[in-house]
Amino acid sequence: MRAAARPALAAIWRRIEELAEQRGKDPAEVLAVERLSCLSGVEPGRIRGVVAGTVRELPLDQRVHRRFLRLRATRRDKHGREWPLAAIADDFGAPGASLGPLNAGTGLPRLGHAAGVQRFFGVYAGFLLADSKSAVERALALTSASAPDRGDDMEHLSYLTGMTPHAIRLTLDGSPPRLSLKEQVHQRFEHLRRTRLREDGQPHALAAIAKSFDASGQSLTRLAQREGLPNLAAAAGIQRFYGVEGGFLLAEDAEALAAVLSGIERELESAEREAENPMLAVMRGHDVRSIVTRAGRLSPQGWKSLADHLDDLLAREGQLGLPGTNGGAPAEGRPAEGGTP
């Protein structure tokens, strides 16, 4: 959504305050800046300025660098330490040194590396790229959202997500198609060109798209021809040009669809009707019964390995300290169970 078309964040903020009071919750706790910062990657000191529209947007290289540092600071390993660069990079088959410039703020990562970092920490695909207003808007949406309604028109969902109707049906059935990142980015880019046309009904020229972020049309030729990935700045520029959120090109199908369905639900104000228990939706979506059945065949050592692996996953997503886990106390920037929504 183009920045000019987005609803005012201050209005969303006030609406959430009212909803919190109606539900007997403390608005200050629901809208705690540390929590919103953890969800959005925007530094705590900038949150209120972004909501009020009084702070300037950071250049892309500074934004990506600071978001990466926020990830490392707020999503630590199970021992409470920052994840080493080597461990993060190894998760997507790269050397730790490849993340050195990103960590030091001296350069942008490759698009595949940015996608890998976001997958490693379990954040949405636009976390590193999204402009501050979009990032805070998404965090506010997560603060007030409940279970999504899955019954909307397939063509409309396809337009919003960049997925084909067939891929949407597969994803809703729990078996999303698996594409390489290069193929996915190409398909999403072609979807944008096909569905967001000029006033004369023709696709925007590559040169016009590239000019919007001070590049040449040739810089997008390889992407259009399925021969390569754009760099991170070009990916951010394409998404800005078409007015889609910062993760449009990178989001996996399930994530893209979940984000769109949540937005549709909020627009329909479905919070007033009884929503499905979100835990049941999670259990169905991840086939929990099958997982438990298979785990029942593990040896005692296998159970220990599984528990250690779960701790690692919870730690990297900043949830190891939540109630019901070994830590017992809320992780930084995350609400306690039964607390804020």
Side-chain angles (χ1 to χ4, degrees):
M1 184 187 300
R2 293 188 186 279
R6 293 190 197 121
L9 296 187
I12 299 175
W13 187 285
R14 288 192 296 272
R15 192 157 62 245
I16 293 174
E17 285 181 323
E18 293 172 0
L19 285 171
E21 289 177 348
Q22 291 170 11
R23 296 173 186 174
K25 299 178 184 293
D26 180 1
E29 184 180 354
V30 173
L31 292 167
V33 293
E34 281 291 344
R35 179 174 186 242
L36 294 176
S37 175
C38 186
L39 291 170
S40 67
V42 177
E43 292 157 312
R46 289 175 53 85
I47 293 286
R48 290 191 180 275
V50 171
V51 172
T54 58
V55 297
R56 279 184 153 189
E57 184 56 75
L58 296 171
L60 181 65
D61 56 346
Q62 291 184 34
R63 186 162 76 234
V64 172
H65 166 60
R66 293 188 185 189
R67 299 270 173 89
F68 181 63
L69 296 186
R70 286 296 292 165
L71 283 176
R72 296 190 73 203
T74 60
R75 289 146 171 95
R76 297 172 180 258
D77 68 17
K78 61 187 176 183
H79 305 294
R81 297 188 292 260
E82 286 191 352
W83 287 93
L85 297 182
I88 300 169
D90 182 66
D91 194 62
F92 51 89
S98 65
L99 295 181
L102 170 61
N103 191 62
T106 57
L108 287 168
R110 296 168 55 186
L111 192 66
H113 289 188
V117 167
Q118 291 165 156
R119 278 197 306 272
F120 179 89
F121 285 109
V123 294
Y124 77 99
F127 189 94
L128 294 176
L129 287 179
D131 62 86
S132 295
K133 185 173 182 181
S134 176
V136 173
E137 183 182 343
R138 186 182 181 101
L140 291 173
L142 290 172
T143 297
S144 60
S146 55
D149 181 350
R150 306 197 324 182
D152 289 90
D153 177 72
M154 288 292 173
E155 289 298 332
H156 182 54
L157 290 178
S158 176
Y159 176 85
L160 294 172
T161 61
M163 300 162 57
T164 65
H166 178 64
I168 290 172
R169 291 188 182 93
L170 288 176
T171 302
L172 291 174
D173 289 339
S175 54
R178 305 301 301 176
L179 298 174
S180 68
L181 182 64
K182 183 170 74 171
E183 180 63 21
Q184 174 190 296
V185 171
H186 168 77
Q187 286 190 12
R188 300 270 173 90
F189 178 55
E190 288 304 308
H191 172 85
L192 287 174
R193 296 191 70 206
R194 186 173 62 252
T195 60
R196 277 82 166 170
L197 303 174
R198 300 184 317 206
E199 291 183 0
D200 63 2
Q202 297 299 311
H204 289 278
L206 297 181
I209 301 169
K211 184 179 178 181
S212 72
F213 51 90
D214 299 323
S216 68
Q218 290 180 334
S219 65
L220 298 182
T221 301
R222 295 185 69 237
L223 170 61
Q225 295 177 347
R226 274 192 171 91
E227 294 177 358
L229 285 168
N231 61 37
L232 203 62
I238 290 167
Q239 291 164 159
R240 244 186 349 263
F241 179 87
Y242 282 108
V244 293
E245 73 162 21
F248 188 92
L249 295 175
L250 292 180
E252 293 184 348
D253 285 351
E255 180 185 358
L257 187 57
V260 165
L261 289 172
S262 293
I264 291 172
E265 181 201 27
R266 291 190 301 276
E267 291 173 5
L268 296 174
E269 298 180 342
S270 60
E272 295 180 0
R273 65 177 184 264
E274 184 175 353
E276 177 188 28
N277 184 327
M279 184 57 72
L280 295 178
V282 170
M283 290 179 69
R284 276 198 299 275
H286 295 277
D287 195 13
V288 170
R289 290 182 181 178
S290 172
I291 294 172
V292 172
T293 299
R294 285 178 287 155
R297 300 197 295 268
L298 289 172
S299 65
Q301 184 59 38
W303 273 106
K304 184 178 184 306
S305 297
L306 178 60
D308 287 343
H309 184 57
L310 286 173
D311 279 350
D312 285 337
L313 291 174
L314 287 167
R316 72 168 65 170
E317 295 186 15
Q319 300 190 63
L320 183 60
L322 290 176
T325 65
N326 289 343
E332 182 183 352
R334 295 287 182 131
E337 189 173 32
T340 54

